[in-house]
Amino acid sequence: MKNRAFISKLDRQNVKATHKQNPLFQKDILSVDQFTKESLSYLFDLAEKMHRLVLADEPSTALSGKVLTCLFYEASTRTFSSFVAAMARLSGGVIPIQGVQYSSVVKGESLSDTVRTLERYSDVIALRHPEAGAAHIAAQYAEVPIINAGDGIGEHPTQALLDLFTILRERGTIDGLHIAMVGDLLNGRTVHSLVKLLNLFDVKISLVSPESLRLPAGLKEVVKERIVREVGKIGEVVRETDVLYVTRVQKERFTQLSEYEVVKGSYVVSPDTLRVAKRTLVLMHPLPRVGEIAEEVDRDPRAAYFRQMENGLYIRMALLAAVLGRG
Ligand code: NCD
């Protein structure tokens, strides 16, 4: 609210001069394209601090008086609740709109009007929407920063940031790793964001998907230098893989349910799948899983998906603190 009154988007550049060391101050977070190694390093250092803060069980007032609107037009468990928890951990407040059926959206209110309403009551808006590009549109209308919490099959930058942070924490480095992306590479927005972030590093990428769910050609072109193979079976890559990033087939993106039925059970990672994998493998999944990783695998120390979701809290605490100038 205060930002609307005092800091227009144009003025933000001037204010930024006072936040030289914070590259995210008052920025919209719409795509991973806006990140550099420097801004990643700033964010990850801050996320480590946030982890220590939570561990120390010391109340932080870093975001005291600040309000986040969580405006979610699509289902969410982890993203929504970790944004809410992030504000709570830093003494900020939240307007929680999970399920727009209880908002004026059901009366036909447009995204632009909804955003221009909510920014009067909050300092930052995290938006999840079924249409790719929705966060960019919201950012054109809003004066407060918009954080893209997933826009259709477009991007999910905060997830990719926590994914990269997880790889770094698990392995101590990104460079030199071989990452296999598995599942619905066509519709998976977490994959779309993560491959672009990985492109900043010296990595090898293997793509594993059914023929009909391959990574979109435009994205493949962006990361073509990193891609070492595109195959249909996990078995073809699992031995040499350092990070196995498994995803769900995105049922909600199919217009024909019969087409979903054909591909839905394409991959199941079982203890048997991992028998030939490296001892240092990092097994990841943005979750929810709907059968892609057998529950028996949860006991394997290589299963990193619960640590991965926890990292989402520290990354979102760091992002909110940075964007709101309290980093
Ligand atoms: C992902 C999403 O919403 O894109 N979930 C999440 O935010 N952790 C992945 C998915 O739904 O498959």
Side-chain angles (χ1 to χ4, degrees), residues 45-57:
D45 283 352
L46 197 51
E48 289 291 355
K49 281 189 203 141
M50 295 302 177
H51 186 196
R52 288 197 290 276
L53 200 118
V54 173
L55 280 180
D57 199 18

Side-chain angles (χ1 to χ4, degrees), residues 295-315:
E295 285 195 13
E296 299 92 285
V297 172
D298 299 353
R299 287 189 294 273
D300 190 310
R302 295 171 290 184
Y305 30 93
F306 294 108
R307 298 190 288 276
Q308 181 184 355
M309 70 168 82
E310 183 182 329
N311 288 335
L313 172 65
Y314 311 131
I315 284 291

Side-chain angles (χ1 to χ4, degrees), residues 75-222:
S76 172
T77 299
R78 277 150 289 269
T79 308
F80 187 89
S81 40
S82 60
F83 266 117
V84 172
M87 287 305 281
R89 294 279 186 191
L90 299 172
S91 305
V94 180
I95 301 173
I97 304 184
Q98 186 176 32
V100 285
Q101 68 268 30
Y102 301 116
S103 75
S104 284
V105 169
V106 284
K107 300 181 191 168
E109 188 157 54
S110 65
L111 175 64
S112 55
D113 279 2
T114 303
V115 158
R116 282 179 293 183
T117 303
L118 293 164
E119 71 170 345
R120 308 264 157 169
Y121 311 136
S122 51
D123 304 287
V124 53
I125 298 173
L127 172 71
R128 172 167 288 192
H129 197 279
E131 279 162 40
H136 288 79
I137 291 171
Q140 278 162 20
Y141 287 93
E143 309 239 350
V144 302
I146 297 288
I147 301 180
N148 182 0
D151 62 329
I153 63 165
E155 280 213 38
H156 193 347
T158 68
Q159 177 72 42
L161 291 166
L162 76 90
D163 291 341
L164 194 72
F165 183 60
T166 300
I167 299 173
L168 194 60
R169 287 188 121 188
E170 296 282 322
R171 293 298 306 261
T173 178
I174 307 289
D175 287 322
L177 298 180
H178 185 164
I179 293 118
M181 314 289 287
V182 180
D184 189 348
L185 310 187
L186 179 67
N187 300 304
R189 57 193 174 198
T190 74
V191 171
H192 299 169
S193 288
L194 185 56
V195 290
K196 287 198 285 179
L197 261 193
L198 288 170
N199 201 35
L200 291 173
F201 298 86
D202 179 21
V203 295
K204 288 187 200 157
I205 298 178
S206 282
L207 303 174
V208 185
S209 72
E211 188 84 34
S212 61
L213 299 179
R214 290 199 160 168
L215 194 70
L219 254 180
K220 228 186 282 179
E221 181 60 25
V222 173

